[in-house]
Amino acid sequence: MDIDATLTMEGEGNVEEELGRGKRNKKLSWQLKSPFDKEGKSMYHYATEDEKLVKKFIVWLGKEKRRGRKKEGQIDLYADDNSVRKKPYKLYHQKISSKMFFLELSDSKFVLDDKHIDIALYYLRKKECYHPRDHPFRCTTTDVLFDNYMALVYKDFSEDASDEFWCAGDNQLFLTPYVWGDNRRCGIAWTEVDKIFFPCRLPSEDDKAVTHFLLGVLDLNQKKIDVYDSIYSEPYEAGMNYMQMYARMIPHLLKFSQFDKNHKSFGNVFNKFDIQWQRSPHQTGSTDCGAFLVKFAELLMIGKDVQQFQPEDIKDFRKELAANLWAHGEWKRNSGYDTPPENVGDDYESENETFCPKEL
């Protein structure tokens, strides 16, 4: 079946809304119950396992572009009636209604935005759920919104670093749901994991424009924050000042959340976390910091050294990542599968041991 034909296939409606959360229907096909096929093989698609996937993606990406000259200030290169606009992909908690999302993700000419980062990290988190044997430790991620919240409340925290701070205003509503696993965007509780991967966006001097993305890894067992930066392998003022925000606020947040009563190895000491700048490959272009952040997270989640990655391979990685997300979006549309809420400890009734929920 060619790509145009597969684009016309789509499950009708939102499965979760139609059935009700947590309900099962024996008449549903196996695709709606599980991201595994009847033999227990994952329905996730990976460019590393399918050499034709990237080629199919590039062909699909080249179709439906606007004809003629672009209008002044025009950003979207695709026709208004393109297939994605008509039938959006559902990835993470986002509806992708423009092919530009995939073009920007795959092409180093473009800077990745918050949506790219959030969806890519969510995709990696789900891979860990589907293939736990490939991961040496349990982990989860936050998102750019969490980073925004941290920066938003840090000024007030610096003036009032007390337990009562978390009860004031919206501070508790903003951040504690991430720790408890009650956040609909990141639903795995920190008490169930060893490490949390979080994206950091360093602000510009006017605090309005994005200057640089870097990756922080919160190690709960070692009580430290490892930093991976695609420009600097040593601490520098702007980066260190930003990470100090996490090093100071996270222990207070955990203490307020009574984290020590639920995490097996954390203990009851809530001192400031140690910050360790780790050596990592350096980007050669000016638009790839977000892509390096995602690549670092991918390697670290499976226990590999980030220095094994060659910077010149980032272009291929961006294409593979975009192709993987496109293929996953295609499968979800065609099968009607809707990602269930995250919950640690359940499985999908496959032959593989997993940590994801089986209920729709």
Side-chain angles (χ1 to χ4, degrees):
M1 182 178 294
D2 61 27
I3 294 177
D4 286 341
T6 61
L7 286 172
T8 63
M9 299 173 59
E10 181 183 33
E12 293 295 327
N14 184 304
V15 176
E16 185 173 314
E17 292 177 357
E18 292 176 4
L19 297 181
R21 190 181 297 275
K23 296 182 180 180
R24 277 191 181 268
N25 186 330
K26 293 183 179 180
K27 294 182 180 180
L28 286 178
S29 65
W30 55 267
Q31 289 101 328
L32 301 184
K33 298 179 182 179
S34 171
F36 296 92
D37 64 19
K38 295 178 180 179
E39 285 72 39
K41 182 179 179 181
S42 173
M43 293 299 293
Y44 255 38
H45 299 79
Y46 306 113
T48 54
E49 300 174 0
D50 181 0
E51 59 183 15
K52 296 181 180 180
L53 180 57
V54 172
K55 293 181 180 179
K56 292 178 181 178
F57 169 70
I58 296 300
V59 170
W60 172 81
L61 201 60
K63 296 180 178 180
E64 301 177 305
K65 288 189 176 181
R66 297 177 187 269
R67 297 180 179 179
R69 295 182 178 180
K70 291 192 301 181
K71 298 179 181 179
E72 185 177 353
Q74 183 179 15
I75 299 176
D76 196 333
L77 304 180
Y78 294 93
D80 293 336
D81 60 347
N82 73 79
S83 57
V84 180
R85 196 179 303 278
K86 291 180 179 178
K87 299 178 181 180
Y89 292 111
K90 188 176 181 181
L91 297 171
Y92 188 34
H93 298 287
Q94 304 276 357
K95 285 188 176 180
I96 307 303
S97 57
S98 173
K99 294 181 77 169
M100 283 299 296
F101 169 86
F102 295 98
L103 177 61
E104 292 168 347
L105 181 59
S106 64
D107 193 335
S108 289
K109 295 179 183 177
F110 297 94
V111 176
L112 300 190
D113 61 18
D114 295 0
K115 184 183 294 187
H116 292 119
I117 299 296
D118 287 348
I119 290 177
L121 290 179
Y122 175 79
Y123 176 76
L124 295 181
R125 187 164 77 244
K126 281 299 182 183
K127 281 182 66 177
E128 194 246 354
C129 288
Y130 298 151
H131 307 292
R133 292 191 182 95
D134 296 337
H135 298 77
F137 51 82
R138 289 302 325 280
C139 64
T140 188
T141 69
T142 62
D143 53 17
V144 179
L145 188 61
F146 180 82
D147 185 62
N148 291 343
Y149 285 156
M150 290 284 286
L152 181 66
V153 303
Y154 184 57
K155 181 179 179 180
D156 293 335
F157 173 83
S158 298
E159 298 173 357
D160 179 21
S162 64
D163 293 343
E164 288 73 20
F165 167 81
W166 299 107
C167 300
D170 294 327
N171 297 340
Q172 180 178 353
L173 297 177
F174 281 165
L175 297 173
T176 53
Y178 285 86
V179 179
W180 294 330
D182 294 333
N183 186 283
R184 71 179 185 89
R185 298 166 62 95
C186 300
I188 295 180
W190 291 9
T191 54
E192 304 293 336
V193 302
D194 302 303
K195 295 182 180 182
I196 298 106
F197 292 77
F198 56 92
C200 293
R201 182 176 58 182
L202 299 187
S204 62
E205 293 182 358
D206 58 9
D207 292 328
K208 294 181 179 180
V210 174
T211 57
H212 185 48
F213 275 114
L214 49 81
L215 175 68
V217 183
L218 184 67
D219 189 324
L220 295 170
N221 298 321
Q222 299 296 323
K223 296 185 179 179
K224 66 173 182 174
I225 297 175
D226 291 322
V227 183
Y228 296 86
D229 190 324
S230 57
I231 293 181
Y232 303 102
S233 291
E234 296 180 356
Y236 57 101
E237 184 176 3
M240 181 57 76
N241 288 342
Y242 202 80
M243 297 314 300
Q244 290 285 358
M245 172 180 72
Y246 277 86
R248 290 189 60 199
M249 286 182 63
I250 291 297
H252 283 264
L253 177 60
L254 296 179
K255 182 179 180 182
F256 174 79
S257 303
Q258 298 183 322
F259 187 78
D260 55 314
K261 296 182 180 180
N262 298 285
H263 194 274
K264 295 180 180 180
S265 58
F266 185 81
N268 58 1
V269 178
F270 295 90
N271 294 332
K272 176 182 173 181
F273 277 45
D274 185 30
I275 300 174
Q276 297 184 8
W277 228 267
Q278 302 295 335
R279 297 191 62 82
S280 56
H282 291 171
Q283 65 186 77
T284 55
S286 60
T287 59
D288 287 323
C289 60
F292 271 88
L293 181 156
V294 177
K295 184 61 183 180
F296 293 159
E298 180 189 58
L299 291 171
L300 292 167
M301 283 183 177
I302 58 177
K304 290 188 177 181
D305 186 351
V306 298
Q307 295 192 72
Q308 294 178 356
F309 179 70
Q310 301 300 316
E312 58 269 21
D313 293 335
I314 196 65
K315 292 183 178 180
D316 290 337
F317 170 71
R318 290 182 66 152
K319 291 185 177 68
E320 291 177 0
L321 176 62
N324 288 344
L325 288 174
W326 168 70
H328 186 58
E330 278 288 297
W331 172 72
K332 289 183 70 175
R333 284 195 345 183
N334 297 342
S335 69
Y337 177 78
D338 199 7
T339 304
E342 294 180 90
N343 185 28
V344 174
D346 291 327
D347 60 42
Y348 279 113
E349 295 181 334
S350 75
E351 295 179 0
N352 298 343
E353 177 188 2
T354 72
F355 291 109
C356 283
K358 58 187 176 184
E359 299 292 350
L360 288 171

